[in-house]
């Protein structure tokens, strides 16, 4: 049974949000929902992670990604955190295959430059416009890659933003968006209508950096840290 004190912590609010996700989406042929919290291992790892870094009432600045990927949050339940980073950086081991995920490599380079996981997670909460992931024929699918899925996802995205802002403490003045292209444009349009945040600051998506700007990773890490500390 949860105590009154536990109910007030950020970890409780975050975990409660994820545990109660139940989207009603019309999925096209070959499209499936990827919900890490439907998996017992990922759910347990996420609970350990959030209780370790968010067991307080300190407000965080929100960082919105696109949606979970198969080899990061899809298996660990923690955004942009593969099993290797979860063990080596966060000190949370598992029996999961120690497979690296590109976005996780970059995000944890940023976290290290910021001052380490304790400092970073004390200041920030990483989520996504769609906290649930999607696959099409077994391959990662962004919520905006399919026109019908994009249209059908918007009510779910709005509901998720509202619920998180209502339960997870934040300044609500500013947030960050991972992805300077489609994800940012969609988020801008949503925010213009609903005024969730006063400002959305876009950042290059970690996977884009690792795929197309690999030789300049250190430069992009510096850009991230400067903007996050700005």
């Amino acid at each position: 049974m949860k105590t009154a004190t536990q109910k007030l912590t950020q970890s409780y609010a975050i975990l409660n949000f994820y545990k109660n996700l139940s989207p009603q989406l019309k999925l096209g042929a070959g499209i499936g929902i990827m919900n890490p919290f439907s998996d017992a291992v990922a759910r347990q790892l996420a609970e350990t992670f959030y209780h370790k870094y968010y067991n307080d009432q300190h407000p965080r600045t929100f960082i919105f990604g696109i949606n979970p990927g198969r080899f990061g949050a899809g298996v660990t339940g923690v955004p942009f955190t593969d099993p290797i980073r979860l063990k080596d950086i966060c000190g949370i081991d598992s029996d999961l295959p120690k497979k690296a995920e590109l976005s996780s490599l970059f995000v944890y380079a940023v976290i290290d430059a910021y001052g380490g996981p304790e400092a970073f997670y004390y200041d920030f909460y990483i989520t996504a416009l769609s906290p649930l992931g999607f696959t099409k024929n077994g391959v990662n699918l962004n919520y905006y890659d399919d026109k019908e899925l994009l249209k059908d996802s918007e009510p779910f995205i709005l509901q998720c933003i509202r619920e998180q802002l209502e339960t997870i403490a934040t300044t609500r003045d500013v947030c960050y968006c991972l992805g300077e292209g489609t994800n940012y444009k969609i988020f801008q349009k949503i925010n213009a209508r609903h005024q969730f945040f006063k400002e959305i600051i876009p950042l290059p998506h970690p996977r884009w950096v690792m795929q197309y700007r690999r030789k300049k990773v250190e430069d992009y890490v510096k850009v991230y840290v400067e903007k996050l500390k700005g």
Side-chain angles (χ1 to χ4, degrees), residues 104-185:
S104 185
L105 282 166
F106 179 79
V107 167
Y108 275 85
V110 171
I111 289 174
D112 180 64
Y114 190 86
E118 287 79 9
F120 181 85
Y121 288 123
Y122 187 73
D123 289 340
F124 298 100
Y125 163 62
I126 302 179
T127 181
L129 283 191
S130 174
L132 297 181
F134 302 96
T135 59
K136 185 170 185 178
N137 300 323
V139 178
N140 278 345
L141 180 74
N142 294 326
Y143 71 88
Y144 54 69
D145 286 337
D146 181 276
K147 291 183 179 179
E148 291 302 316
L149 178 61
L150 171 59
K151 181 180 178 181
D152 200 40
S153 293
E154 186 167 324
F156 172 63
I157 288 172
L158 292 174
Q159 177 188 351
C160 287
I161 295 174
R162 288 195 184 99
E163 288 184 6
Q164 288 175 100
L165 288 176
E166 288 171 359
T167 59
I168 302 166
T170 177
T171 60
R172 294 189 61 155
D173 290 336
V174 63
C175 73
Y176 294 86
C177 175
L178 301 185
E180 299 173 305
T182 305
N183 198 42
Y184 178 53
K185 291 177 182 177

Side-chain angles (χ1 to χ4, degrees), residues 69-107:
R70 287 179 299 154
F71 303 118
V75 293
T76 65
V78 181
F80 294 98
T81 304
D82 61 30
I84 298 174
R85 259 40 65 181
L86 190 64
K87 177 186 177 183
D88 294 347
I89 308 300
C90 300
I92 301 172
D93 198 3
S94 70
D95 293 327
L96 292 171
K98 299 302 184 287
K99 185 173 183 177
E101 198 274 333
L102 281 180
S103 294
S104 185
L105 282 166
F106 179 79
V107 167

Side-chain angles (χ1 to χ4, degrees), residues 190-209:
I190 288 174
N191 195 59
R193 292 199 305 269
H194 300 278
Q195 299 296 306
F196 291 123
F197 299 94
K198 291 182 180 178
E199 182 182 9
I200 301 172
I201 299 174
L203 292 166
H205 194 277
R207 188 167 187 86
W208 178 85
V209 174

Side-chain angles (χ1 to χ4, degrees), residues 209-224:
V209 174
M210 296 299 286
Q211 280 188 314
Y212 303 109
R213 296 294 186 273
R214 193 68 174 261
K215 294 181 180 180
K216 295 186 177 181
V217 166
E218 291 185 5
D219 294 336
Y220 281 95
V221 168
K222 290 178 181 177
V223 168
Y224 258 67

